[in-house]
Amino acid sequence: MEFVAKKRRALIVYLKNARQARQLRRFGIVNYVSNKMKYASVYVDDADVETKKQLIEKLGFVDRVDVSHWPEVDTTVGGQQNEEIDFSLDTDDVFEDEAQEEEL
């Protein structure tokens, strides 16, 4: 048997009362519950996001449900991956002696 990773998406569920957050376990994996800010993050399968969102919104203790946009965010830093970054030092920015450095 081979392991196959399922695509998942987080639903941020804003609650009227944080005590009922345990009831969200039947919809997916409850990852985090904030009692102070009254929200919970629930992980559900990516294919079932819209149906689970509609079911959760119908619950009486839920204010609203937001879908996480993390899978759509580009996580590469600095533009192209093949692009080389040139780190150069400007000679005007270098202090010649310690007296100039202490003035700042």
Side-chain angles (χ1 to χ4, degrees), residues 48-67:
D48 301 334
V49 169
E50 288 303 318
T51 57
K52 299 267 176 123
K53 179 182 174 187
Q54 290 173 358
L55 289 173
I56 293 173
E57 285 176 338
K58 291 179 182 177
L59 297 173
F61 59 90
V62 174
D63 274 339
R64 70 179 196 270
V65 179
D66 291 337
V67 178

Side-chain angles (χ1 to χ4, degrees), residues 6 13 18 20-22 32 39 48-49 53 57-58 62 66 69-71 86 92 99:
K6 292 183 180 180
V13 182
Q20 282 102 359
R22 293 184 71 190
Y32 180 74
Y39 77 92
D48 301 334
V49 169
K53 179 182 174 187
E57 285 176 338
K58 291 179 182 177
V62 174
D66 291 337
H69 296 288
W70 182 252
D86 181 29
D92 296 336

Side-chain angles (χ1 to χ4, degrees), residues 59-86:
L59 297 173
F61 59 90
V62 174
D63 274 339
R64 70 179 196 270
V65 179
D66 291 337
V67 178
S68 173
H69 296 288
W70 182 252
E72 294 132 16
V73 175
D74 183 21
T75 57
T76 58
V77 178
Q80 302 292 332
Q81 291 181 343
N82 297 335
E83 179 181 324
E84 289 188 25
I85 300 172
D86 181 29

Side-chain angles (χ1 to χ4, degrees):
M1 186 163 81
E2 186 175 327
F3 174 74
V4 178
K6 292 183 180 180
K7 296 226 180 220
R8 296 196 174 234
R9 175 86 53 119
L11 294 177
I12 309 303
V13 182
Y14 293 93
L15 308 166
K16 294 179 183 173
N17 190 352
R19 277 191 234 153
Q20 282 102 359
R22 293 184 71 190
Q23 295 180 20
L24 296 173
R25 290 189 291 182
R26 63 182 173 177
F27 298 104
I29 299 171
V30 178
N31 184 40
Y32 180 74
V33 178
S34 173
N35 291 324
K36 184 177 179 182
M37 297 180 67
K38 297 182 182 175
Y39 77 92
S41 67
V42 181
Y43 281 99
V44 297
D45 291 338
D46 203 20
D48 301 334
V49 169
E50 288 303 318
T51 57
K52 299 267 176 123
K53 179 182 174 187
Q54 290 173 358
L55 289 173
I56 293 173
E57 285 176 338
K58 291 179 182 177
L59 297 173
F61 59 90
V62 174
D63 274 339
R64 70 179 196 270
V65 179
D66 291 337
V67 178
S68 173
H69 296 288
W70 182 252
E72 294 132 16
V73 175
D74 183 21
T75 57
T76 58
V77 178
Q80 302 292 332
Q81 291 181 343
N82 297 335
E83 179 181 324
E84 289 188 25
I85 300 172
D86 181 29
F87 293 105
S88 60
L89 184 64
D90 191 11
T91 56
D92 296 336
D93 294 339
V94 178
F95 296 108
E96 293 179 8
D97 60 322
E98 292 179 13
Q100 288 179 338
E101 187 175 335
E102 291 176 2
E103 289 176 7
L104 295 176

